[in-house]
Amino acid sequence: MPSKPRPTREITVRRAPKYVPFLVAGGLVGAVVALAVGYLGTVPDGYTRESVFGYFLVLFAAAGVLLGGVVVLVLDRISVARSRRAYVEELPDEEAAPEAPEAGDGGKGEPEGQ
């Protein structure tokens, strides 16, 4: 007995970058730059080295996060340009998942109360 033809759909497949790691990496690079500028540079009169570091930390960390966001957006646009089309077939639910044990029996298959 011939089976019914399965419906197919066209999908887009691409490798998209994750945004959060790029933003965190940009912030960390900014913090390292702030550490170098704050502790290796000259300190103006009336300021401590820690206050100069704190000022540059806020400034460079924000700039690093912004730069990381720009990089990830550029990489995302590149991945859209490299995306490919694929065709997929839908599987019926009976073949896709095995039967789960009944709720309440703890997965042992024994009737309750015995």
Side-chain angles (χ1 to χ4, degrees):
M1 171 158 111
S3 62
K4 295 188 294 185
R6 295 181 179 157
T8 59
R9 293 187 323 181
E10 184 179 9
I11 62 168
T12 302
V13 179
R14 69 183 181 105
R15 294 184 56 169
K18 294 184 179 182
Y19 282 66
V20 173
F22 281 90
L23 299 176
V24 169
L28 289 176
V29 168
V32 169
V33 171
L35 183 69
V37 170
Y39 282 103
L40 297 178
T42 60
V43 179
D45 292 335
Y47 294 100
T48 64
R49 192 164 295 280
E50 289 77 19
S51 64
V52 171
F53 167 68
Y55 174 77
F56 283 125
L57 178 65
V58 171
L59 184 69
F60 287 131
V65 169
L66 184 65
L67 184 63
V70 169
V71 169
V72 77
L73 285 175
V74 168
L75 291 176
D76 189 44
R77 293 296 171 202
I78 291 171
S79 75
V80 168
R82 292 184 179 179
S83 65
R84 296 183 181 154
R85 300 276 181 194
Y87 293 94
V88 294
E89 293 181 359
E90 293 183 26
L91 294 177
D93 288 337
E94 301 88 40
E95 294 177 12
E99 190 167 321
E102 293 291 325
D105 68 359
K108 299 176 186 172
E110 298 175 1
E112 289 185 29
Q114 292 186 355

